[in-house]
Amino acid sequence: MKTRKKRKLSQFLLIGAILITVASVFAYVTISGELSAKGTAGETVLVNVTEGNLLSDVSASLKAQDLIGNPFIFETYAKISKLTDFKAGVFKIDRGWDAHTILVYINDAANTEKNDVALTIIPGDWAKEVAASIAKVTDYSADEILALWNDKAYVQTLIDDYEVLTPEIMKEGVRVLLEGYLMPETYFINPKSTIDVITRRVLDQTESFYLENKADFEASSYSVHEIFNLASIVQFESSKEADMKMVAQVFYNRLNKPMRLQSNVTICYALYDYTDWKQCESDANKSLISPYNTYTVDGLPLGPIDNPSATAIRSTLHPTPNDYYYFLADVYGDGKVYYAKTYAEHLKNVEKYLK
């Protein structure tokens, strides 16, 4: 009897030891995998660490760039390794580096990029405004930048390299061929870089966004260019994500009717040069003959009228279902957007909120 009990105990201990070993191996493999390199060596990205950033802030930034795996494992490893004394600055990180290499690198102030400057593209910026922002931090003029962005031979090379760019952007008469595709974001660039390098730095972000959401683009009955085009109007017409989703659906409702979009903001782009939004959105300009003026042309304008944010594009891809055909924002009040199903209801909103 004692021998049998000893045998059972030995078997239990053996099974327990095996389970512990398997669990340990699994944990080791999992953790090692999470701490390993996430990309291809030689491909670099810029990461900004600002003064006062916490470990969680740095972890979130690295995760957003797909440089690390599980943030919790990364943060735990950083604490155990005592590699949490991050230095402020811009770091050029190789995607082929593992978590340990990245941590060591950003704990050393000598590794910060001394020459890079910040370039911020604001949601709704026009291409000419982006060009002006680039001109401020480089030796190029805005005119030189815009000339390249309108050089069809050059833009064709971009179309060849970026899936998000399609031949539709080359329509005759558009103001700037790359309008709509300069993804709003803060970029860190070398001011001595060529216009091509800077342009591709921005387009890399646009391409990344497109590829992440490619299934949604393909599910739409509208082309990629049409989505960017409509999103640019949605961006200009609304500021909050909830309203962007509602406004996008209102435009779809009008396009399906079919009704003209009649978006005042397209008049502003049609004019292109104006001093005050009240000037461009005045009733006198609604009859302006321009392929961008959606009061006088059917469907979408000739091309995007600004550079929409990721939020505006996603809202256009995923609108909130509604049966409205009109909307207006209380520009003299809190900016709240009011919707209407009929023109009569819309006129009442105009009388109430815009008079």
Side-chain angles (χ1 to χ4, degrees):
M1 182 69 75
K2 289 183 179 180
T3 302
R4 186 179 299 170
K5 288 183 178 179
K6 287 183 179 179
R7 188 180 299 121
K8 287 184 177 180
L9 178 61
S10 297
Q11 290 174 342
F12 177 79
L13 292 175
L14 178 60
I15 292 172
I18 292 174
L19 290 175
I20 291 173
T21 301
V22 170
S24 298
V25 171
F26 177 78
Y28 174 78
V29 171
T30 300
I31 292 173
S32 296
E34 291 295 336
L35 295 176
S36 64
K38 300 303 173 187
T40 304
E43 182 182 349
T44 60
V45 295
L46 295 176
V47 174
N48 184 37
V49 178
T50 57
E51 196 70 44
N53 267 176
L54 302 175
L55 173 57
S56 58
D57 298 322
V58 175
S59 173
S61 180
L62 293 171
K63 180 62 178 176
Q65 297 271 33
D66 293 325
L67 290 167
I68 63 171
N70 185 291
F72 175 76
I73 293 176
F74 174 82
E75 292 168 19
T76 302
Y77 180 79
K79 292 175 184 176
I80 293 174
S81 303
K82 300 185 185 304
L83 290 171
T84 58
D85 186 22
F86 308 117
K87 301 302 185 287
V90 178
F91 295 87
K92 186 176 290 185
I93 307 294
D94 194 301
R95 290 193 179 280
W97 292 351
D98 60 19
H100 179 78
T101 304
I102 292 174
L103 284 166
V104 171
Y105 196 75
I106 62 179
N107 271 259
D108 188 347
N111 293 325
T112 58
E113 294 293 313
K114 303 298 188 297
N115 298 320
D116 284 0
V117 296
L119 166 67
T120 298
I121 300 177
I122 300 171
D125 267 357
W126 291 4
K128 68 176 183 178
E129 293 172 317
V130 178
S133 296
I134 295 174
K136 287 180 180 179
V137 295
T138 67
D139 293 329
Y140 302 106
S141 69
D143 287 341
E144 286 179 291
I145 298 166
L146 288 170
L148 187 62
W149 290 350
N150 270 331
D151 184 319
K152 290 188 175 181
Y154 170 68
V155 173
Q156 183 58 56
T157 67
L158 299 177
I159 292 175
D160 293 340
D161 293 340
Y162 291 94
E163 192 174 340
V164 69
L165 300 179
T166 64
E168 282 188 85
I169 72 173
M170 301 283 261
K171 290 180 179 178
E172 198 64 39
V174 297
R175 292 197 183 279
V176 183
L177 298 179
L178 293 182
E179 190 80 81
Y181 294 90
L182 305 171
M183 182 65 73
E185 183 64 82
T186 294
Y187 302 87
F188 295 92
I189 62 172
N190 186 323
K192 298 300 181 183
S193 297
T194 63
I195 303 175
D196 176 58
V197 168
I198 296 172
T199 300
R200 289 175 181 273
R201 171 73 184 90
V202 176
L203 290 178
D204 285 346
Q205 185 72 16
T206 312
E207 179 83 344
S208 177
F209 169 82
Y210 168 71
L211 294 177
E212 289 173 6
N213 296 275
K214 187 175 179 179
D216 293 329
F217 278 96
E218 292 180 338
S220 173
S221 60
Y222 288 80
S223 69
V224 173
H225 189 59
E226 288 172 332
I227 290 294
F228 274 82
N229 193 343
L230 184 54
S232 73
I233 305 175
V234 170
Q235 176 72 65
F236 217 141
E237 287 281 17
S238 48
S239 57
K240 298 178 181 178
E241 183 175 0
D243 283 323
M244 287 182 178
K245 290 176 175 289
M246 288 289 289
V247 167
Q249 185 61 56
V250 171
F251 284 138
Y252 281 128
N253 292 344
R254 296 181 72 93
L255 288 169
N256 292 334
K257 190 72 176 171
M259 297 169 63
R260 285 180 175 170
L261 294 183
Q262 296 185 322
S263 169
N264 287 344
V265 298
T266 63
I267 301 176
C268 298
Y269 197 80
L271 285 171
Y272 210 56
D273 292 303
Y274 60 91
T275 56
D276 184 82
W277 67 267
K278 294 178 184 177
Q279 173 195 355
C280 72
E281 293 189 12
S282 68
D283 289 341
N285 288 322
K286 289 182 178 180
S287 59
L288 179 70
I289 302 301
S290 167
Y292 284 102
N293 182 5
T294 55
Y295 275 89
T296 58
V297 298
D298 297 328
L300 294 166
L302 182 62
I305 62 168
D306 61 45
N307 291 281
S309 64
T311 300
I313 301 170
R314 288 196 190 98
S315 296
T316 304
L317 288 167
H318 301 287
T320 298
N322 64 64
D323 54 359
Y324 296 116
Y325 290 92
Y326 304 89
F327 68 88
L328 64 81
D330 182 6
V331 294
Y332 300 115
D334 59 4
K336 183 177 179 179
V337 180
Y338 295 90
Y339 302 90
K341 296 180 182 180
T342 68
Y343 187 57
E345 291 174 355
H346 178 64
L347 289 179
K348 289 181 180 179
N349 285 337
V350 172
E351 187 66 29
K352 185 174 183 179
Y353 300 107
L354 297 184
K355 295 296 184 180

